[in-house]
Amino acid sequence: MPSRLHIDIETYSETDIKLGVYKYAEDPTFEILLFAYAYDDAPIKIIDLASGEKLPAHIKNSLKNPEIKKYAFNAAFERVCLRQAGYDVPIKDWRCTSVKSAFCGLPLSLKNSSAALGVPEDKAKLRTGSALIRYFCIPCKPTITNGGRTRNLPHHAPEKWADFVDYCINDVEAERFVHKELEPYEIPDFERSLYCLDQLINDNGVLLDLDFAKVALDLYAKHKETCIEELKAITGLDNPNSVKQLTTWLEKALKVSIPSLAKDNLKPLYDSTDNTAVRRVLKLRGDISKTSIKKYATMLKSACKDMRGRGFIQFYGAFRSGRWAGRIVQPQNLKRNYIQHIADVRATIFEDDYDLALLLYDVPDVLSQLIRTAFVAPEGMTLIPADFSAIEARVVAWLAGEKWRLDVFNGDGKIYEASASKMFNVPIEEVTKENGLRYKGKIAELALGYGGSLGAMVQMGAYENGLTDVDIKRIVKLWRATSKDIVALWNDCNDCAIKAVASKRKVRSKNGLLVFEADDKYLTILLPSGRKLYYREPSITNNRWDRPAVQYKGTHQKTGKWVNIQTYGGKLVENIAQGIARDLLAESMLTVHYAGYKIVLHVHDELIVEVPKSNSEKDLKRICDIMGTPILWAKGLPLNADGYITPFYKKD
């Protein structure tokens, strides 16, 4: 009996796949067009469902058979689509080659993962694949030439359909090739359990307040219209919403060249002038280009029939650390809310009274802050968001063995105050918001833990908060002087990586918690949890100071290309700390799940759990106790979790 069934399907739906597979598959027009498959290493076969063929009995039996594991690249797509078609294959029976690719430090797409592994050209995806998908898998525009039809079927273009069949077959070949190449690198059983939970959380979804989303979009549309009318009056432009027209007007007014009207460029322009009219124009431009508001529209479009949003998180989306990534609504980059009495503000907005909202609030800013409150609990239920306190800082302190930091985390946890007290040699009682010392401690803690310096501080808003280059350099120097064990950790991880790559042997870190190992294909770092971080094709190069450094193959964050990336001690510590923080959250997620709780979402180091109102106080305590329980593989790491009960998601 075969042990593996490799699958790739091609589908049709009038819903845009960008809204997620759950919404896509529940569309009444959804159907599976092609089903390509291969058992183990046998030849690939294909079933042309769109042309009237049926799934044979042996395939139906294999889908039901738990002894035959189902392999697919991005298996969530195949799983949800097949379930919608009547073939409900349990999550535990699937093996996702995309996850395996990310686990091994490779790209998440089949095309890019195949290229990185050097898949032979005859096994790679056809270059015409995107065009074929556009032709057969989505509605077409009716024209005189195509007889006014809104969909292309196989008989409309037999040659293209033959190419599409080959494309689907090649996908199975490429997926199987990736599987074979990565077969030696086993995913631990813990990660398999975690993947199953991840899929269950995405299946659960989170309830969306679509009425609130509609009101928010209505208010913003009214505000945008008002802003544009005011912009017309100030500038005299026909269309001040045009970036080109408004840029030209601003360049004349400011007598400078303006490369972009992106959000990050508006504030420096605003601060550079005292011209009241120009400042007002820049403020209005910021108001009408608030991209975060689009999340409300995405919620409306992506919500399933039961008004729940699904597929918002992706397992191993951040493949360097193994953390999850946000998808569709992108819950990982929601604006933090600072509104006082947020329930009252939300209720006022819900009245859909634009004049009242404009009188009371900065409308775009408030709407942006309220986005997360559109994630709500059903009738009779409530939400419990619970998160770890300063988890990355705790992990770094634990790895470094920085005693004074561990003492803080074992005590009141006020690391910003304690850091400022150490740096500026003042009693902790004298560290306050008013004298600015707490801010200096905070920004130092947030920016400098991974080897950052002036640039990292600036990125955290140091200039906007009145710090000069002289101030920043002094803070960097003081922070490193009082965090010598962390600095030593950076250096040790850098040295271990270089030694492992150069000698092709195991090297253990000085703290005994990490193991570095390398061969021609990978540098790996074994974390205390037992999971490894993978760096593809490591080699030794020289850095800008002409000192040895490790480089590896990875995806460039800006270009998306597969290139050599040079790393260093601080960056390695960042990967390690974020990886450990992720594993701590993973442990908590599984324990909370096994305790019978329904996790509907998680964001960074925070779980959002849906519970009955009747027992919510006890549930809150139990969930926080679970998250704060010491982990066996992290002896001595001080954990603390806190949470709250709320009818809608917010940052308390």
Side-chain angles (χ1 to χ4, degrees), residues 36-49:
Y37 69 95
Y39 287 106
D40 296 336
D41 299 321
I44 300 167
K45 298 181 180 180
I46 191 161
I47 304 159
D48 188 345
L49 299 168

Side-chain angles (χ1 to χ4, degrees), residues 212 290 292-293 296 334-340 342 345 362-374 649-651:
F212 183 75
K290 205 85 169 176
S292 59
I293 305 296
Y296 288 116
L334 295 171
K335 182 170 181 177
R336 191 180 183 92
N337 56 261
Y338 299 96
I339 300 170
Q340 297 294 316
I342 191 168
V345 175
D362 179 335
V363 173
D365 183 61
V366 164
L367 292 178
S368 184
Q369 290 192 55
L370 289 176
I371 291 170
R372 67 181 69 232
T373 73
Y649 181 40
K650 60 180 181 176
K651 294 302 288 185

Side-chain angles (χ1 to χ4, degrees), residues 455-496:
M457 294 277 282
V458 170
Q459 209 169 15
M460 285 286 181
Y463 287 162
E464 289 83 350
N465 286 276
L467 297 181
T468 65
D469 284 359
V470 173
D471 296 329
I472 294 170
K473 289 176 182 177
R474 179 170 178 250
I475 290 172
V476 171
K477 185 176 180 180
L478 289 171
W479 189 90
R480 291 185 178 183
T482 56
S483 307
K484 291 179 179 178
D485 291 321
I486 292 177
V487 175
L489 177 66
W490 303 338
N491 295 332
D492 184 40
C493 286
N494 191 58
D495 291 345
C496 287

Side-chain angles (χ1 to χ4, degrees), residues 319-365:
F319 51 77
R320 191 65 54 219
S321 64
R323 280 180 158 174
W324 285 262
R327 294 291 180 259
I328 308 172
V329 173
Q330 298 283 354
Q332 309 284 34
N333 66 357
L334 295 171
K335 182 170 181 177
R336 191 180 183 92
N337 56 261
Y338 299 96
I339 300 170
Q340 297 294 316
H341 310 295
I342 191 168
D344 294 336
V345 175
R346 190 178 189 276
T348 302
I349 291 294
F350 225 150
E351 292 178 19
D352 201 5
D353 185 332
Y354 175 65
D355 292 332
L356 178 62
L358 188 62
L359 178 67
L360 296 175
Y361 313 122
D362 179 335
V363 173
D365 183 61

Side-chain angles (χ1 to χ4, degrees), residues 7 70 72 75 78-79 82 89-96:
I7 301 170
K70 289 52 142 180
E78 271 74 13
R79 181 178 67 82
L82 285 169
V89 181
I91 297 169
K92 63 181 179 61
D93 291 352
W94 286 95
R95 296 293 183 268
C96 183

